[in-house]
Amino acid sequence: EHGGRGQGMSRVLVTGADGEIGRAVSDRLVASGHQVTALSLAFGGAHPADRQITGDATSRSDVEEAMRDVDAVAHFAAIPHPSLGTPYDVFRVNTSATFNVLTRAAEAGVRRAVIASSINAIGYPNNPHDTFPPAFPLDVETPPDIADAYSLSKLADEATARYAHRRYGIDVVALRFPLVKWPHVLRDVADEVRADPARMAREGWAYLTMSDAVRAVERALWADVAGAEGVPLSARDTLLDVPTAELLRRYAPAVEPPAHLAGHDALVDLTTARTVLGFEPRESIHDGTATPYPALVRSDR
C-alpha cells in the first residue's frame, strides 16, 4: 500500500514538520520504526527526522527533493488560520502547497498521501454571517457554506485530493481536523469558551487531543483505502463539560439535533473514521485519559 518496502521500514515525508501536528506525527513515526523526511520553512529546534529539508511546500524543486525515496506523505504545510494572512495569501499558499505536494508525490510513484483538511471545509466556524449547519452531527454530507478564504482553501484541498486520485491513481485521505491541541491547551481553551459557549456552537464544540490526532494520521497512512476519502474527526465528547443536548438547546436551537444523543456525545459523526480507518478516539480532556505533552503518543500497532 505504500511503495512496497514494508510497513516496518517505510519513509514518510512530513510537510509542515516544524508545526505542532507535524512534530508530533514525526515523533510517533520515528518511535514506530519509520524513517522521516521533514520539510519545513524553518526548524525551531531539534527534530526527530533523519532527513531535514528547509524548504517551501509550494516550491516544485523543494518538494521534488523532499520526495526522494518516500513511500507515503503526511501533508500539514499550510497557513492554519484565516487571521494569519490576507485572504489571497491564505488561499494561494494552502491550495498551491496541496496541489504541488500531491502532484510531486504521484509523479514520484508514492501511492498514499494524508492531508490535513479541517472542520472548516464546511465553512461554518469562520463564516462572517450568522449561519449554522442545518443539522448535527456534522458529517461528509453536511452542505458547505463558505465565506472565508481559509475554509475555501480546505474545501479546495479536498477537491485536489479527488483530482490527484483521478488523474494519477494516488490514494489520499483528507482528515477533517477540529481544534487539535495538547490537553493542557485544550483545557485553557475550554475555560475561555465556557465564558461564551456560542463562539464554538457552529462547529459543535468539537476538539481532538494531539495524541488521538496523531493516531488518526498513523491509521490513515496505512489503512486499506482506495480513492480520495474525506474523514471527519472529533473526540467522543465535546470541549465543554456540559450535556450536549443542553448546549444545543441554548446555543443552536434552530439546528436539527442528532436522532440519538446522550450525555456529552460529540456532534461530529465518526462513522467514516471507524469504517474507513478503523479509528476510534481514545482520549477526553475530561476524564484523565488524555496523553500530556510532550509524551509520545501511543501507537495503534
PDB file of all heavy atoms in Angstrom, residues 270-288:
ATOM      1  N   LEU A 270     -18.537  10.085  13.512  1.00  0.00           N
ATOM      2  CA  LEU A 270     -17.276   9.367  13.377  1.00  0.00           C
ATOM      3  C   LEU A 270     -17.406   8.083  12.562  1.00  0.00           C
ATOM      4  O   LEU A 270     -16.470   7.285  12.522  1.00  0.00           O
ATOM      5  CB  LEU A 270     -16.718   9.054  14.767  1.00  0.00           C
ATOM      6  CG  LEU A 270     -16.349  10.273  15.604  1.00  0.00           C
ATOM      7  CD1 LEU A 270     -15.952   9.863  17.014  1.00  0.00           C
ATOM      8  CD2 LEU A 270     -15.214  11.057  14.948  1.00  0.00           C
ATOM      9  N   THR A 271     -18.539   7.907  11.897  1.00  0.00           N
ATOM     10  CA  THR A 271     -18.758   6.672  11.145  1.00  0.00           C
ATOM     11  C   THR A 271     -17.682   6.452  10.091  1.00  0.00           C
ATOM     12  O   THR A 271     -17.145   5.337   9.947  1.00  0.00           O
ATOM     13  CB  THR A 271     -20.146   6.687  10.476  1.00  0.00           C
ATOM     14  OG1 THR A 271     -21.142   6.845  11.487  1.00  0.00           O
ATOM     15  CG2 THR A 271     -20.389   5.401   9.713  1.00  0.00           C
ATOM     16  N   THR A 272     -17.335   7.485   9.341  1.00  0.00           N
ATOM     17  CA  THR A 272     -16.321   7.331   8.292  1.00  0.00           C
ATOM     18  C   THR A 272     -14.964   6.998   8.901  1.00  0.00           C
ATOM     19  O   THR A 272     -14.227   6.154   8.378  1.00  0.00           O
ATOM     20  CB  THR A 272     -16.226   8.606   7.440  1.00  0.00           C
ATOM     21  OG1 THR A 272     -17.502   8.903   6.891  1.00  0.00           O
ATOM     22  CG2 THR A 272     -15.229   8.431   6.304  1.00  0.00           C
ATOM     23  N   ALA A 273     -14.617   7.641  10.003  1.00  0.00           N
ATOM     24  CA  ALA A 273     -13.349   7.340  10.671  1.00  0.00           C
ATOM     25  C   ALA A 273     -13.293   5.880  11.098  1.00  0.00           C
ATOM     26  O   ALA A 273     -12.258   5.214  10.969  1.00  0.00           O
ATOM     27  CB  ALA A 273     -13.165   8.256  11.878  1.00  0.00           C
ATOM     28  N   ARG A 274     -14.412   5.386  11.590  1.00  0.00           N
ATOM     29  CA  ARG A 274     -14.450   3.999  12.050  1.00  0.00           C
ATOM     30  C   ARG A 274     -14.385   3.016  10.883  1.00  0.00           C
ATOM     31  O   ARG A 274     -13.629   2.040  10.909  1.00  0.00           O
ATOM     32  CB  ARG A 274     -15.718   3.767  12.865  1.00  0.00           C
ATOM     33  CG  ARG A 274     -15.740   4.502  14.185  1.00  0.00           C
ATOM     34  CD  ARG A 274     -17.067   4.305  14.919  1.00  0.00           C
ATOM     35  NE  ARG A 274     -17.084   5.023  16.177  1.00  0.00           N
ATOM     36  CZ  ARG A 274     -18.023   5.910  16.531  1.00  0.00           C
ATOM     37  NH1 ARG A 274     -19.036   6.181  15.713  1.00  0.00           N
ATOM     38  NH2 ARG A 274     -17.954   6.512  17.700  1.00  0.00           N
ATOM     39  N   THR A 275     -15.196   3.264   9.858  1.00  0.00           N
ATOM     40  CA  THR A 275     -15.319   2.291   8.781  1.00  0.00           C
ATOM     41  C   THR A 275     -14.144   2.356   7.802  1.00  0.00           C
ATOM     42  O   THR A 275     -13.689   1.323   7.304  1.00  0.00           O
ATOM     43  CB  THR A 275     -16.633   2.486   8.007  1.00  0.00           C
ATOM     44  OG1 THR A 275     -16.696   3.827   7.502  1.00  0.00           O
ATOM     45  CG2 THR A 275     -17.827   2.247   8.910  1.00  0.00           C
ATOM     46  N   VAL A 276     -13.649   3.552   7.525  1.00  0.00           N
ATOM     47  CA  VAL A 276     -12.566   3.704   6.542  1.00  0.00           C
ATOM     48  C   VAL A 276     -11.194   3.495   7.184  1.00  0.00           C
ATOM     49  O   VAL A 276     -10.329   2.827   6.608  1.00  0.00           O
ATOM     50  CB  VAL A 276     -12.639   5.094   5.875  1.00  0.00           C
ATOM     51  CG1 VAL A 276     -11.430   5.338   4.980  1.00  0.00           C
ATOM     52  CG2 VAL A 276     -13.924   5.218   5.063  1.00  0.00           C
ATOM     53  N   LEU A 277     -11.003   4.039   8.381  1.00  0.00           N
ATOM     54  CA  LEU A 277      -9.685   3.998   9.018  1.00  0.00           C
ATOM     55  C   LEU A 277      -9.594   3.005  10.169  1.00  0.00           C
ATOM     56  O   LEU A 277      -8.499   2.706  10.640  1.00  0.00           O
ATOM     57  CB  LEU A 277      -9.310   5.387   9.554  1.00  0.00           C
ATOM     58  CG  LEU A 277      -9.281   6.543   8.558  1.00  0.00           C
ATOM     59  CD1 LEU A 277      -8.802   7.806   9.252  1.00  0.00           C
ATOM     60  CD2 LEU A 277      -8.412   6.219   7.347  1.00  0.00           C
ATOM     61  N   GLY A 278     -10.721   2.539  10.660  1.00  0.00           N
ATOM     62  CA  GLY A 278     -10.685   1.746  11.882  1.00  0.00           C
ATOM     63  C   GLY A 278     -10.254   2.575  13.074  1.00  0.00           C
ATOM     64  O   GLY A 278      -9.665   2.065  14.038  1.00  0.00           O
ATOM     65  N   PHE A 279     -10.555   3.870  13.028  1.00  0.00           N
ATOM     66  CA  PHE A 279     -10.118   4.789  14.080  1.00  0.00           C
ATOM     67  C   PHE A 279     -11.248   5.084  15.058  1.00  0.00           C
ATOM     68  O   PHE A 279     -12.375   5.394  14.652  1.00  0.00           O
ATOM     69  CB  PHE A 279      -9.644   6.110  13.469  1.00  0.00           C
ATOM     70  CG  PHE A 279      -9.366   7.178  14.504  1.00  0.00           C
ATOM     71  CD1 PHE A 279      -8.186   7.149  15.231  1.00  0.00           C
ATOM     72  CD2 PHE A 279     -10.290   8.179  14.763  1.00  0.00           C
ATOM     73  CE1 PHE A 279      -7.933   8.117  16.202  1.00  0.00           C
ATOM     74  CE2 PHE A 279     -10.050   9.154  15.722  1.00  0.00           C
ATOM     75  CZ  PHE A 279      -8.855   9.118  16.442  1.00  0.00           C
ATOM     76  N   GLU A 280     -10.911   5.003  16.330  1.00  0.00           N
ATOM     77  CA  GLU A 280     -11.827   5.355  17.400  1.00  0.00           C
ATOM     78  C   GLU A 280     -11.078   6.273  18.361  1.00  0.00           C
ATOM     79  O   GLU A 280      -9.986   5.924  18.815  1.00  0.00           O
ATOM     80  CB  GLU A 280     -12.290   4.101  18.144  1.00  0.00           C
ATOM     81  CG  GLU A 280     -13.425   4.337  19.118  1.00  0.00           C
ATOM     82  CD  GLU A 280     -14.772   4.456  18.424  1.00  0.00           C
ATOM     83  OE1 GLU A 280     -15.027   3.682  17.485  1.00  0.00           O
ATOM     84  OE2 GLU A 280     -15.559   5.340  18.822  1.00  0.00           O
ATOM     85  N   PRO A 281     -11.600   7.469  18.661  1.00  0.00           N
ATOM     86  CA  PRO A 281     -10.891   8.329  19.614  1.00  0.00           C
ATOM     87  C   PRO A 281     -10.821   7.663  20.985  1.00  0.00           C
ATOM     88  O   PRO A 281     -11.797   7.088  21.459  1.00  0.00           O
ATOM     89  CB  PRO A 281     -11.740   9.598  19.647  1.00  0.00           C
ATOM     90  CG  PRO A 281     -13.096   9.177  19.180  1.00  0.00           C
ATOM     91  CD  PRO A 281     -12.859   8.072  18.196  1.00  0.00           C
ATOM     92  N   ARG A 282      -9.652   7.742  21.598  1.00  0.00           N
ATOM     93  CA  ARG A 282      -9.440   7.124  22.905  1.00  0.00           C
ATOM     94  C   ARG A 282      -9.509   8.128  24.051  1.00  0.00           C
ATOM     95  O   ARG A 282      -9.740   7.738  25.191  1.00  0.00           O
ATOM     96  CB  ARG A 282      -8.056   6.459  22.948  1.00  0.00           C
ATOM     97  CG  ARG A 282      -7.875   5.255  22.072  1.00  0.00           C
ATOM     98  CD  ARG A 282      -6.422   4.790  22.147  1.00  0.00           C
ATOM     99  NE  ARG A 282      -6.191   3.588  21.352  1.00  0.00           N
ATOM    100  CZ  ARG A 282      -4.980   3.086  21.103  1.00  0.00           C
ATOM    101  NH1 ARG A 282      -3.904   3.684  21.584  1.00  0.00           N
ATOM    102  NH2 ARG A 282      -4.857   1.999  20.379  1.00  0.00           N
ATOM    103  N   GLU A 283      -9.265   9.384  23.744  1.00  0.00           N
ATOM    104  CA  GLU A 283      -8.962  10.334  24.807  1.00  0.00           C
ATOM    105  C   GLU A 283     -10.015  11.419  24.972  1.00  0.00           C
ATOM    106  O   GLU A 283     -10.637  11.861  24.005  1.00  0.00           O
ATOM    107  CB  GLU A 283      -7.602  10.991  24.536  1.00  0.00           C
ATOM    108  CG  GLU A 283      -6.461   9.999  24.494  1.00  0.00           C
ATOM    109  CD  GLU A 283      -5.111  10.673  24.465  1.00  0.00           C
ATOM    110  OE1 GLU A 283      -5.026  11.915  24.276  1.00  0.00           O
ATOM    111  OE2 GLU A 283      -4.108   9.969  24.625  1.00  0.00           O
ATOM    112  N   SER A 284     -10.163  11.862  26.212  1.00  0.00           N
ATOM    113  CA  SER A 284     -11.006  13.000  26.551  1.00  0.00           C
ATOM    114  C   SER A 284     -10.229  13.894  27.519  1.00  0.00           C
ATOM    115  O   SER A 284      -9.473  13.390  28.358  1.00  0.00           O
ATOM    116  CB  SER A 284     -12.308  12.537  27.208  1.00  0.00           C
ATOM    117  OG  SER A 284     -12.989  13.640  27.801  1.00  0.00           O
ATOM    118  N   ILE A 285     -10.433  15.195  27.413  1.00  0.00           N
ATOM    119  CA  ILE A 285      -9.789  16.094  28.376  1.00  0.00           C
ATOM    120  C   ILE A 285     -10.531  16.107  29.703  1.00  0.00           C
ATOM    121  O   ILE A 285     -10.084  16.743  30.663  1.00  0.00           O
ATOM    122  CB  ILE A 285      -9.674  17.535  27.837  1.00  0.00           C
ATOM    123  CG1 ILE A 285     -11.057  18.138  27.557  1.00  0.00           C
ATOM    124  CG2 ILE A 285      -8.782  17.580  26.610  1.00  0.00           C
ATOM    125  CD1 ILE A 285     -11.022  19.641  27.294  1.00  0.00           C
ATOM    126  N   HIS A 286     -11.649  15.403  29.779  1.00  0.00           N
ATOM    127  CA  HIS A 286     -12.498  15.482  30.966  1.00  0.00           C
ATOM    128  C   HIS A 286     -12.351  14.303  31.925  1.00  0.00           C
ATOM    129  O   HIS A 286     -12.907  14.339  33.011  1.00  0.00           O
ATOM    130  CB  HIS A 286     -13.971  15.588  30.539  1.00  0.00           C
ATOM    131  CG  HIS A 286     -14.263  16.749  29.657  1.00  0.00           C
ATOM    132  ND1 HIS A 286     -14.085  18.060  30.049  1.00  0.00           N
ATOM    133  CD2 HIS A 286     -14.712  16.802  28.365  1.00  0.00           C
ATOM    134  CE1 HIS A 286     -14.415  18.861  29.056  1.00  0.00           C
ATOM    135  NE2 HIS A 286     -14.790  18.130  28.021  1.00  0.00           N
ATOM    136  N   ASP A 287     -11.617  13.248  31.534  1.00  0.00           N
ATOM    137  CA  ASP A 287     -11.628  12.055  32.384  1.00  0.00           C
ATOM    138  C   ASP A 287     -10.248  11.479  32.675  1.00  0.00           C
ATOM    139  O   ASP A 287     -10.129  10.335  33.141  1.00  0.00           O
ATOM    140  CB  ASP A 287     -12.510  10.980  31.749  1.00  0.00           C
ATOM    141  CG  ASP A 287     -11.966  10.490  30.406  1.00  0.00           C
ATOM    142  OD1 ASP A 287     -10.868  10.914  30.009  1.00  0.00           O
ATOM    143  OD2 ASP A 287     -12.654   9.668  29.759  1.00  0.00           O
ATOM    144  N   GLY A 288      -9.192  12.250  32.408  1.00  0.00           N
ATOM    145  CA  GLY A 288      -7.852  11.779  32.737  1.00  0.00           C
ATOM    146  C   GLY A 288      -7.222  10.860  31.718  1.00  0.00           C
ATOM    147  O   GLY A 288      -6.123  10.337  31.951  1.00  0.00           O
TER     148      GLY A 288
END
